[in-house]
Amino acid sequence: MGSESGTTADFQAMLLSTSIQMLLFSFEACLCYKLVYQVPHMQWYLVFMPLFLLSVISIVICGWGWKKERPLDLELLFAVNLLQFVMLVLRLERLITWSWQIILIPLWIMLGVCSIAVIYYIALTAILVCTNDIVPSMRTPRTAASFLYSLSNFCLILFLSLLVSKLDNPANEQSFVVLFLPYHVCMASLVMSAFYQVCRVMSLIPRSSLSRVSVFIDVC
């Protein structure tokens, strides 16, 4: 009975993940169509409609995930950014003329919460390392994770600050290549963190299990 419920939950998670990817693809397709062909009758709220649906669906998925004890990083990100998407549409449609610094307040709040979490993680890691309350084999992974998290968070805040300055000051001649450098560094640090976590998980898997997987792949 337990295995059947687990299989059903996995299948539901696969369907939900597929729907999220399809909505993201729809938004990207609409955005590219709007920007490339400059379609006047295509309003911005139509372009952002997949993201609105995605945010609402993500709220439902978060409730389902907490009930099933599933990780929900991407879904939670879209669920909390519903207000941000609405404010972006209102600004792009010129229904409000607030500065971009005010428009991006929901994003600033989210980055502030992330900064608090990163500071807490760094402080906890420093305390554990200094008091020798952590396994020696875990010191390097926690230190590396603290560095990568702090780097990605700092670069994201710097990128958002530069972007707001560029959008609110049309006379700003700063190149978009320079403007997006912190964003690229942030993405690179997140990719490195993801690969590092995968390598850690692979190192914890017994060699006998890995040999069985390799034999299975060779047979296939």
Side-chain angles (χ1 to χ4, degrees):
M1 187 68 178
S3 60
E4 292 180 359
S5 61
T7 303
T8 303
D10 291 337
F11 181 72
Q12 292 172 350
M14 182 183 65
L15 292 179
L16 294 173
S17 178
T18 303
S19 63
I20 290 175
Q21 300 302 323
M22 293 300 296
L23 287 172
L24 282 175
F25 175 77
S26 301
F27 168 70
E28 292 178 5
C30 293
L31 182 62
C32 291
Y33 183 75
K34 171 74 174 178
L35 295 177
V36 172
Y37 296 103
Q38 299 293 324
V39 184
H41 63 271
M42 190 174 187
Q43 304 298 326
W44 281 106
Y45 70 86
L46 294 176
V47 176
F48 276 77
M49 191 61 67
L51 286 186
F52 294 149
L53 294 175
L54 180 55
S55 297
V56 175
I57 293 175
S58 296
I59 295 174
V60 178
I61 294 176
C62 286
W64 173 85
W66 286 327
K67 182 179 179 181
K68 299 292 184 179
E69 298 182 354
R70 297 264 175 173
L72 298 167
D73 298 333
L74 184 62
E75 293 81 0
L76 185 61
L77 178 65
F78 286 111
V80 300
N81 276 312
L82 178 59
L83 178 60
Q84 182 64 83
F85 298 146
V86 172
M87 295 184 69
L88 284 174
V89 171
L90 294 176
R91 182 63 174 83
L92 291 171
E93 292 288 353
R94 301 185 184 279
L95 297 176
I96 55 177
T97 57
W98 300 340
S99 67
W100 284 99
Q101 188 173 4
I102 298 176
I103 294 297
L104 297 177
I105 282 179
L107 195 54
W108 287 114
I109 294 174
M110 187 181 69
L111 287 177
V113 173
C114 292
S115 299
I116 295 174
V118 169
I119 293 173
Y120 172 78
Y121 188 86
I122 293 174
L124 181 62
T125 301
I127 292 173
L128 291 176
V129 171
C130 293
T131 57
N132 295 323
D133 289 338
I134 187 173
V135 180
S137 60
M138 292 296 295
R139 289 182 181 178
T140 301
R142 288 192 70 95
T143 304
S146 300
F147 172 75
L148 292 174
Y149 290 155
S150 58
L151 178 62
S152 60
N153 190 72
F154 171 76
C155 290
L156 198 55
I157 293 176
L158 179 60
F159 164 70
L160 191 59
S161 302
L162 295 175
L163 181 62
V164 167
S165 177
K166 177 75 173 178
L167 294 176
D168 283 337
N169 301 294
N172 190 347
E173 298 181 355
Q174 187 177 33
S175 171
F176 277 100
V177 175
V178 177
L179 191 150
F180 272 84
L181 279 178
Y183 174 79
H184 294 317
V185 175
C186 174
M187 292 298 104
S189 64
L190 290 177
V191 170
M192 290 174 59
S193 177
F195 274 106
Y196 189 80
Q197 294 295 331
V198 170
C199 292
R200 269 193 67 233
V201 172
M202 292 296 293
S203 65
L204 296 176
I205 299 177
R207 294 184 178 181
S208 58
S209 300
L210 291 176
S211 62
R212 293 172 186 173
V213 172
S214 60
V215 170
F216 177 75
I217 294 176
D218 294 336
V219 171
C220 295

